[in-house]
């Protein structure tokens, strides 16, 4: 599989294309269908950390009396030939939590933010220098709770017509890695390992991307996106037959 690293020194050149003749147009169509559809995904389609008996080890809600902080992350996609490629950040050692882990650009909601999309776009601009006005918002995924940092985050899906020159905030981001939607849908990049987390023996599924283990909240978000696209593709193919 081919993975590309995007950094502040080199980025994909802008391409002047329109939706109708774009080689990646089918991916955008599937994404839009996937995000407007109301679906209830079974747990076996999601990359959830489980105990050794196969039960979900991830709390879906905070403990009673705990008020989570609100935030959002951006799944930023851009064209790469006939594919759409999404950006992932490797968190630096300077941040307060999840150091060295692979995540999506995002963070806490500010009082002036007008909803999750505003938060995700602002945070992406701060981390990667992507101007909010260059991103078309396609929709959102299921909000999730992250126990270690006590955040409830909403994943926002956005599309760029081309990847701009990235300006990486190295205080927060060590580097950027990418993966195409085609690769994300390939079961071969999903691996499950036996880990010890917080003193518990658990099974941890992750996406193997660019030499990194993409696990936890990021894996859960990306697995929901992948599952929704698969469902949309099945429906699309059924209509076309």
């Amino acid at each position: 599989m081919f993975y590309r690293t995007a950094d502040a020194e080199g980025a994909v050149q802008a391409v002047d294309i329109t939706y109708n003749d774009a080689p990646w147009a089918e991916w955008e169509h599937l994404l839009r269908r996937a995000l407007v559809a109301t679906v209830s995904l079974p747990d076996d389609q999601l990359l959830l950390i489980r105990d050794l008996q196969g039960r979900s080890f991830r709390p879906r809600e905070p403990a009673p009396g705990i008020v989570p902080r609100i935030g959002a992350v951006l799944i930023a996609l851009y064209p790469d030939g006939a594919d759409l490629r999404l950006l992932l950040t490797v968190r630096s050692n300077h941040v307060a939590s999840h150091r060295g882990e692979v995540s999506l650009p995002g963070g806490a909601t500010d009082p002036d933010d007008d909803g999750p999309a505003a938060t995700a776009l602002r945070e992406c601009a701060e981390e990667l220098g992507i101007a909010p006005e260059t991103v078309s918002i396609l929709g959102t995924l299921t909000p999730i709770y992250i126990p270690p940092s006590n955040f409830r985050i909403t994943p926002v899906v956005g599309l760029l017509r081309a990847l701009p020159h990235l300006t990486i905030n190295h205080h927060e981001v060590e580097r950027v890695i990418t993966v195409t939607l085609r690769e994300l849908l390939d079961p071969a990049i999903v691996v499950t390992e036996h880990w010890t987390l917080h003193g518990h023996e658990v099974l941890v599924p992750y996406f193997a991307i660019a030499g990194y283990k993409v696990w936890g909240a990021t894996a859960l978000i990306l697995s929901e996106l992948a599952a929704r696209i698969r469902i949309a593709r099945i429906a699309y193919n059924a209509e076309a037959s």
Side-chain angles (χ1 to χ4, degrees):
M1 294 180 187
F2 175 72
Y3 299 93
R4 180 176 304 171
T5 298
D7 56 29
E9 288 70 40
V12 176
Q13 296 297 311
V15 181
D16 184 17
I17 51 181
T18 60
Y19 172 84
N20 289 333
D21 60 5
W24 43 268
E26 183 176 342
W27 283 112
E28 181 178 357
H29 174 72
L30 288 174
L31 269 173
R32 291 184 181 278
R33 290 187 63 141
L35 293 169
V36 299
T38 301
V39 296
S40 179
L41 296 173
D43 282 356
D44 62 5
Q45 294 189 33
L46 302 173
L47 266 59
L48 287 163
I49 299 173
R50 302 176 186 278
D51 63 21
L52 299 186
Q53 286 71 47
R55 297 169 299 202
S56 175
F57 187 73
R58 183 184 189 89
R60 298 299 183 94
E61 298 293 337
I66 300 297
V67 179
R69 295 183 290 172
I70 304 301
V73 296
L74 183 67
I75 301 174
L77 297 140
Y78 65 92
D80 183 6
D83 290 307
L84 288 178
R85 187 174 287 274
L86 67 89
L87 298 165
L88 294 163
T89 61
V90 180
R91 293 172 65 83
S92 79
N93 289 324
H94 304 294
V95 294
S97 59
H98 307 291
R99 295 175 180 174
E101 295 182 10
V102 179
S103 64
L104 293 157
T109 296
D110 282 354
D112 294 336
D113 289 343
D114 185 18
T119 298
L121 291 172
R122 176 182 52 75
E123 288 284 340
C124 188
E126 292 175 4
E127 293 181 20
L128 301 179
I130 295 177
E133 63 270 17
T134 65
V135 184
S136 298
I137 300 301
L138 303 184
T140 61
L141 298 177
T142 306
I144 66 169
Y145 177 60
I146 305 177
S149 52
N150 191 34
F151 262 107
R152 187 190 303 280
I153 62 171
T154 298
V156 178
V157 182
L159 178 65
L160 296 93
R161 295 297 162 169
L163 180 66
H165 186 79
L166 298 181
T167 303
I168 297 176
N169 177 353
H170 286 287
H171 179 75
E172 298 187 41
V173 177
E174 178 182 320
R175 67 186 295 236
V176 172
I177 62 174
T178 69
V179 63
T180 66
L181 290 181
R182 190 184 309 274
E183 292 163 341
L184 192 68
L185 293 175
D186 184 354
I189 73 168
V190 177
V191 181
T192 299
E193 292 182 343
H194 185 164
W195 292 10
T196 301
L197 284 179
H198 311 298
H200 297 275
E201 300 299 309
V202 293
L203 300 173
V204 178
Y206 62 84
F207 291 104
I209 299 174
Y212 287 87
K213 298 178 180 182
V214 183
W215 66 287
T218 304
L220 177 56
I221 291 168
L222 295 183
S223 65
E224 179 184 344
L225 178 67
R228 283 176 171 271
I229 293 174
R230 290 189 184 100
I231 292 170
R233 175 181 279 171
I234 292 171
Y236 176 75
N237 290 339
E239 292 172 4
S241 63

